[in-house]
Amino acid sequence: MLQIQVGNSAKINLEKKKDEIYLNDQLFDGEIVRISNSSFKVFKANKIYRVDVVESEGKEMKLKINDQLVEVSVTDHIDQILDKLGMNMAASTIIKDIKAPMPGSILNILVSEEDEVQQGDKLLVLEAMKMENVIKAPGEGKVSKIHIREKGNVEKNQVLITFE
């Protein structure tokens, strides 16, 4: 069973039994058609919804449903057990530092020293091989020191930001 959290709204339980889909223990009386790896059409109650996966990182997703952006968090059976046992905080990643994944140039620094960051927060933009790469926080922490400056060049594995 999967549990889906849409923004701050109530959680939705999703379960597949044989070829049927159940939402909150109710049989889903619609149809889902895959258009591509990241696009679907949902037919429900004489309405058609287009669902596109815009961004997916871990168990967090951004979906575009009929041109409306929706953030979704999905938890599986193991996550739910850990949550019930109060161990969900133990699973969060605490970061010490961010290193450059490749050589490049720092286009923009999006945080300041003393900022608190959560997993997935954007930290900086690194240009490498003519592409802009947004570097995000892999876990939670407080920015202790920023070792770089905008427009500066960095080498692979160079420490960019240190956290407390």
Side-chain angles (χ1 to χ4, degrees):
M1 178 187 310
L2 294 177
Q3 200 167 65
I4 303 169
Q5 176 84 38
V6 181
N8 293 325
S9 66
K11 293 179 181 176
I12 301 167
N13 291 319
L14 175 81
E15 191 170 7
K16 186 174 182 182
K17 297 177 185 175
K18 296 187 181 182
D19 290 333
E20 298 177 324
I21 297 173
Y22 289 81
L23 295 175
N24 295 332
D25 297 320
Q26 299 288 318
L27 180 63
F28 175 70
D29 62 345
E31 184 181 356
I32 301 171
V33 177
R34 180 184 293 256
I35 299 170
S36 70
N37 284 344
S38 61
S39 295
F40 304 85
K41 283 205 177 179
V42 179
F43 301 90
K44 170 94 169 110
N46 296 323
K47 292 185 181 179
I48 300 172
Y49 302 91
R50 180 179 173 106
V51 180
D52 296 300
V53 179
V54 176
E55 187 178 317
S56 177
E57 187 171 318
K59 296 185 179 194
E60 306 292 321
M61 287 188 262
K62 288 185 183 175
L63 305 176
K64 193 153 101 174
I65 303 174
N66 288 351
D67 295 323
Q68 182 177 5
L69 194 62
V70 178
E71 293 189 20
V72 175
S73 176
V74 179
T75 56
D76 60 17
H77 184 65
I78 300 298
D79 295 322
Q80 293 163 34
I81 290 171
L82 289 173
D83 193 39
K84 284 181 183 175
L85 294 173
M87 297 173 67
N88 56 347
M89 291 308 291
S92 67
T93 306
I94 298 175
I95 48 180
K96 289 192 170 232
D97 54 37
I98 297 291
K99 295 181 181 180
M102 63 196 82
S105 175
I106 303 299
L107 292 182
N108 198 357
I109 300 172
L110 306 170
V111 293
S112 300
E113 291 182 1
E114 303 300 315
D115 283 356
E116 296 276 343
V117 298
Q118 300 298 316
Q119 182 175 357
D121 286 354
K122 296 175 182 176
L123 302 174
L124 58 98
V125 180
L126 172 70
E127 182 182 45
M129 300 180 344
K130 299 184 182 182
M131 291 184 62
E132 292 183 11
N133 303 282
V134 177
I135 308 298
K136 296 180 180 180
E140 60 184 49
K142 183 176 182 181
V143 177
S144 169
K145 176 111 174 102
I146 298 175
H147 300 275
I148 50 165
R149 58 180 167 57
E150 288 184 4
K151 309 296 184 231
N153 292 324
V154 297
E155 296 299 321
K156 182 177 180 173
N157 291 326
Q158 179 179 337
V159 174
L160 307 174
I161 299 175
T162 303
F163 296 89
E164 290 180 6

